[in-house]
Amino acid sequence: MKKFEKWAKIFLGAAVVSIALFIYFILCKQWLYAALFCIAAILLSIPFVNLWKDIEQYGVKTEVDISRVLGKEAKDALSFGNIGMITYDDDYVVTWCSPFFAEHGIDIVNKKVTSWIENIRTLFDEEVDEVIGRYQNSIFEITRKEDSRLLYVKDITEFYELQQKYINEDVVVGMMQLDNYLEYQQYENEEIIANINTHLRAPLVSWAKENGMFIRRIRSDRFILILNQEILRKVRAKNFSILQLIRDKSMALNTSITLSMAFAYGTSDYPKLDDMLNELIELCQSRGGDQVAIRCMGESVQYIGGHSEAGSARSKVRARIMAQSIQQAISDSKTIYIAGHVHTDFDCMGAALSISNWATALNKNAYIVLDGVERDQQLQMTMNHYMTTLNERHIFISPSQAQDRINYNEDLLVLVDHATSSLSSCKDFIEQCKRIIVIDHHRRNESFVKNTMLSYVESTASSTCELIVELLQNIPNHIPIYEAEATIMYLGIIVDTNRFKMHTDSRTFEACSALRTWGANSQVAEQALKEDYGHFLLKQEMLINAKAYLNMFMIAQTDTMVNQTLASQVSDSLLLVKGCRASFTLVMSEMDPDTVSISARGDGTVNVQRIMEKLSGGGHFSAAAAKIKDCTISQAREQLCKVLKEVYDEGNFA
């Protein structure tokens, strides 16, 4: 409209001149001229005023044939391609559009272009050149021509619907596994097994058929599923209600059977789908079961469920088989390298020392790759206490020394208390190693190290030291474990269970009993866990200043650089507050000044591992941690509160 305002000004100027001339004729008493001039002015003014009103009311609907602008060939090409064109002004008001829009019953001239399809705004507000929007029952693709006020519009309704139909019908393969079913099948009587089959296996088949899935049992505890993405979205929208159904029916039968599910899609390469599916179901199992793992090819794994702590699913038969397999792998290797995780703790060091003893007993050269790697302060004090005897029996080397010595194809690398390369003391060369064994008690995730010969990952175990005690008890030859090693392993169990308050079952106490028999010194262990007065005051200050969040979480923080052990102790203490279901302690990392460490603890009703995974951390169901680099305490707290709000809004904690 701005370009027409000059004509309005000209008209107003002419009107002023006309009034002056009319007055002049009247004053000169030239009545005939005055009358004729007045009639002419009125006759000319009426059509101009009406035209201006029409322009204001309807805009300038310039019916310019597109062939006059672009040529007949271009017009025919745009018509054949079912493409429309829009021009707009500085205010994003449409000044002209091609006949394409009239053919589709769209009237947008002299209207804001965003009044037609709202998300067109992103073409102007963001750095995108193309958007897809819906108008009534049609789908349009809108493209902005760079450095001009011109939009190209294409009707892609038919193509879009075909594309959505193709995506919806894309093949998804799934697998369901009843956790712990095999253990019950081995040890329970026929009546209990019959009840389990009736009340737990039968609902799986019914649920799958009700949702239009193909289902076949491939072994007593596993089912294969074939479905499409539309069905997957439908059951996902219901949050996989079958998980809760199996959990409820299992409780009614007084059993600890839960359901794990895995779904893989996104490729027509069926061997890759098979590999993805097997990896996903193993991830579910190692994370404690009672959950769903979903992965699209090329994307990260998404987890649903996992709201209950899994019961012990470890088999002593498996422990014996793994012990024999690990012993054979050590015997077949010339040199053994034992890697722990950065910020080494008692559990990691105790496991490394025991594996070193195991390899030495088999007359193999063993190297512990933890020299120069950051350690927990209390661990370092205990190591200093036993320094002489430890240096006589073990060889500690740095990661750089290990990298220079190791034969990637022949030597054996044993990872203890971790299974992620980014956390390993050997992270610089771990991917080049061809022979790797993992012994860990943390829940497995998609960052699990590659090239593993054997992986003994049991998330229901209290600690890696507990697993290794069981392994050593299941081999025919005697592996000597002395006081120093036994005491550090014993401390590993005490610290990881918070003095037997978490992750503890009968096998935990059996392992501790064995360690005491092997010489673990409880007095040295108690001395090692004592803290200095400064740390004691800091811990009390953090507890006093802790704040409740959403009436079910407690958050403590300090800008002081402290170790992870103190942070975990604060979180443990906060769990004693009535009504607290999960606690979080934020501190500046003592090992990395630019990193905020978060220690998380849960009472068994909230999966803190899933919360920490959202902050790129991990751990166990009721004990987890995360580290956020290049961040302040307040920024980390803000991120944590955002995640906690999401978890709170979900409302499914148990």
Side-chain angles (χ1 to χ4, degrees):
M1 294 296 297
K2 291 181 179 179
K3 64 181 180 180
F4 294 102
E5 289 179 359
K6 64 180 181 180
W7 296 107
K9 293 177 181 178
I10 292 173
F11 174 76
L12 291 174
V16 171
V17 173
S18 298
I19 292 171
L21 287 173
F22 179 75
I23 294 173
Y24 173 76
F25 288 140
I26 293 296
L27 293 175
C28 294
K29 298 182 179 181
Q30 297 181 7
W31 311 111
L32 179 62
Y33 286 112
L36 292 174
F37 186 81
C38 183
I39 293 170
I42 292 172
L43 291 174
L44 291 173
S45 298
I46 289 173
F48 186 86
V49 170
N50 288 333
L51 175 62
W52 183 255
K53 287 182 178 179
D54 287 343
I55 290 173
E56 284 188 324
Q57 185 173 358
Y58 302 108
V60 183
K61 295 186 178 180
T62 310
E63 299 296 333
V64 180
D65 185 64
I66 196 169
S67 61
R68 292 173 56 190
V69 179
L70 301 176
K72 187 176 184 304
E73 291 78 5
K75 175 187 176 183
D76 293 342
L78 291 176
S79 178
F80 178 77
N82 200 22
I83 296 174
M85 297 174 62
I86 295 175
T87 60
Y88 56 91
D89 61 17
D90 293 338
D91 299 320
Y92 305 110
V93 175
V94 176
T95 57
W96 174 82
C97 64
S98 66
F100 169 89
F101 296 91
E103 294 169 3
H104 286 75
I106 302 170
D107 181 16
I108 56 172
V109 175
N110 202 43
K111 298 177 182 177
K112 287 273 189 180
V113 68
T114 52
S115 67
W116 171 40
I117 295 177
E118 187 176 355
N119 62 335
I120 290 181
R121 185 182 303 276
T122 57
L123 287 172
F124 313 116
D125 297 342
E126 302 176 15
E127 294 184 0
V128 296
D129 297 322
E130 181 182 294
V131 296
I132 294 177
R134 178 183 291 274
Y135 179 74
Q136 295 179 351
N137 296 323
S138 299
I139 307 295
F140 296 95
E141 181 182 88
I142 304 102
T143 304
R144 179 173 63 90
K145 189 177 186 303
E146 191 176 356
D147 300 328
S148 70
R149 299 190 184 95
L150 180 63
L151 300 178
Y152 295 108
V153 180
K154 182 175 178 61
D155 186 344
I156 61 168
T157 305
E158 185 176 353
F159 169 77
Y160 186 83
E161 289 177 349
L162 285 172
Q163 184 185 46
Q164 291 303 307
K165 186 176 180 181
Y166 172 78
I167 292 173
N168 289 338
E169 295 181 357
D170 189 22
V171 174
V172 179
V173 292
M175 185 179 293
M176 298 192 294
Q177 175 164 324
L178 290 168
D179 310 320
N180 301 343
Y181 178 87
L182 293 179
E183 280 74 15
Y184 281 93
Q185 192 178 45
Q186 289 175 1
Y187 302 114
E188 298 294 347
N189 60 45
E190 289 300 323
E191 183 180 355
I192 294 177
I193 293 299
N195 284 332
I196 290 174
N197 291 340
T198 302
H199 294 92
L200 297 183
R201 286 206 316 195
L204 297 180
V205 177
S206 299
W207 176 81
K209 289 186 175 180
E210 286 171 4
N211 288 285
M213 304 179 191
F214 170 86
I215 182 170
R216 281 293 182 271
R217 184 163 59 89
I218 55 177
R219 74 182 199 194
S220 58
D221 64 333
R222 279 192 177 184
F223 296 81
I224 193 75
L225 300 170
I226 298 178
L227 58 153
N228 57 37
Q229 286 200 44
E230 186 175 9
I231 295 174
L232 180 62
R233 276 196 294 272
K234 183 173 67 173
V235 296
R236 187 171 183 176
K238 297 178 181 178
N239 210 29
F240 292 95
S241 57
I242 188 64
L243 292 177
Q244 186 64 44
L245 177 65
I246 296 299
R247 195 182 306 132
D248 293 342
K249 288 184 176 292
S250 177
M251 290 178 64
L253 292 173
N254 196 26
T255 63
S256 59
I257 294 177
T258 55
L259 179 65
S260 292
M261 305 176 72
F263 295 93
Y265 64 96
T267 178
S268 57
D269 189 332
Y270 295 112
K272 286 186 178 179
L273 281 177
D274 180 51
D275 292 340
M276 286 170 59
L277 193 63
N278 290 323
E279 182 181 345
L280 289 172
I281 200 68
E282 190 174 346
L283 278 172
C284 284
Q285 292 287 295
S286 62
R287 289 166 59 88
D290 189 28
Q291 58 193 284
V292 183
I294 305 171
R295 185 179 183 186
C296 177
M297 186 69 179
E299 298 180 9
S300 59
V301 182
Q302 300 177 42
Y303 299 101
I304 296 173
H307 297 292
S308 62
E309 181 82 86
S312 179
R314 282 186 289 156
S315 166
K316 291 189 176 182
V317 175
R318 183 169 185 244
R320 186 178 70 251
I321 294 172
M322 290 302 302
Q324 294 170 355
S325 300
I326 293 172
Q327 173 137 312
Q328 187 62 48
I330 294 175
S331 299
D332 293 341
S333 306
K334 182 178 179 180
T335 306
I336 314 300
Y337 292 88
I338 305 150
H341 56 73
V342 292
H343 311 303
T344 311
D345 56 15
F346 283 109
D347 190 35
C348 177
M349 183 59 74
L353 293 171
S354 58
I355 295 296
S356 175
N357 280 351
W358 194 349
T360 303
L362 296 176
N363 299 315
K364 301 296 178 181
N365 296 322
Y367 299 97
I368 300 176
V369 191
L370 287 172
D371 187 31
V373 178
E374 299 92 344
R375 296 177 183 171
D376 177 81
Q377 186 176 1
Q378 292 176 325
L379 169 63
Q380 186 59 56
M381 292 173 61
T382 308
M383 294 287 288
N384 292 339
H385 179 77
Y386 288 115
M387 183 63 69
T388 303
T389 56
L390 288 177
N391 286 336
E392 289 175 356
R393 290 193 292 269
H394 306 279
I395 302 175
F396 292 88
I397 62 173
S398 67
S400 59
Q401 290 174 319
Q403 188 171 10
D404 293 337
R405 298 182 184 184
I406 191 169
N407 185 319
Y408 297 122
N409 297 315
E410 297 180 5
D411 292 340
L412 180 65
L413 177 63
V414 182
L415 306 183
V416 293
D417 201 36
H418 73 292
T420 305
S421 57
S422 60
L423 299 176
S424 181
S425 60
C426 295
K427 62 183 178 181
D428 293 334
F429 59 91
I430 193 171
E431 293 184 359
Q432 302 175 51
C433 298
K434 305 302 180 186
R435 306 178 75 247
I436 299 176
I437 291 177
V438 174
I439 307 174
D440 189 22
H441 71 116
H442 297 98
R443 287 188 171 192
R444 183 170 175 170
N445 58 33
E446 60 269 26
S447 301
F448 196 83
V449 68
K450 307 298 182 183
N451 301 326
T452 54
M453 294 172 54
L454 293 168
S455 60
Y456 189 37
V457 180
E458 294 288 358
S459 62
T460 57
S462 70
S463 58
T464 307
C465 288
E466 179 186 325
L467 291 176
I468 293 179
V469 170
E470 288 190 346
L471 292 173
L472 295 178
Q473 290 176 321
N474 281 281
I475 53 177
N477 53 310
H478 172 67
I479 306 299
I481 301 293
Y482 306 97
E483 178 187 329
E485 294 89 337
T487 302
I488 293 173
M489 294 176 72
Y490 179 67
L491 279 163
I493 296 176
I494 290 178
V495 171
D496 278 21
T497 60
N498 189 24
R499 293 181 181 270
F500 307 109
K501 295 176 184 177
M502 303 184 305
H503 313 300
T504 306
D505 57 18
S506 61
R507 297 171 75 166
T508 306
F509 292 106
E510 288 174 8
C512 290
S513 175
L515 288 170
R516 289 299 304 272
T517 303
W518 295 344
N521 191 322
S522 59
Q523 293 181 343
V524 173
E526 286 299 321
Q527 285 294 122
L529 295 177
K530 288 185 177 180
E531 56 186 334
D532 61 46
Y533 185 62
H535 278 181
F536 177 80
L537 289 178
L538 177 60
K539 185 167 68 174
Q540 299 308 311
E541 181 184 351
M542 293 170 67
L543 290 171
I544 291 171
N545 295 324
K547 303 293 183 182
Y549 183 67
L550 299 175
N551 295 321
M552 61 182 295
F553 305 119
M554 292 293 296
I555 302 176
Q557 65 184 65
T558 180
D559 292 324
T560 306
M561 288 189 292
V562 298
N563 58 50
Q564 192 71 24
T565 302
L566 187 142
S568 62
Q569 290 172 351
V570 173
S571 294
D572 290 330
S573 299
L574 288 174
L575 272 184
L576 299 176
V577 176
K578 188 175 182 179
C580 177
R581 300 175 69 176
S583 59
F584 305 87
T585 303
L586 292 78
V587 300
M588 297 305 298
S589 175
E590 194 174 50
M591 303 296 183
D592 190 350
D594 297 324
T595 300
V596 175
S597 295
I598 305 177
S599 177
R601 294 292 185 269
D603 67 350
T605 63
V606 176
N607 189 342
V608 293
Q609 180 209 4
R610 294 185 65 205
I611 296 173
M612 291 296 97
E613 282 180 341
K614 292 177 182 292
L615 297 171
S616 301
H620 289 284
F621 186 96
S622 54
K627 291 182 181 295
I628 305 177
K629 291 185 176 295
D630 302 322
C631 186
T632 64
I633 289 289
S634 58
Q635 291 171 337
R637 184 189 178 99
E638 185 178 343
Q639 293 183 43
L640 174 63
C641 290
K642 182 179 178 181
V643 172
L644 293 178
K645 185 65 168 61
E646 292 174 0
V647 172
Y648 180 81
D649 291 340
E650 288 176 4
N652 189 4
F653 302 108

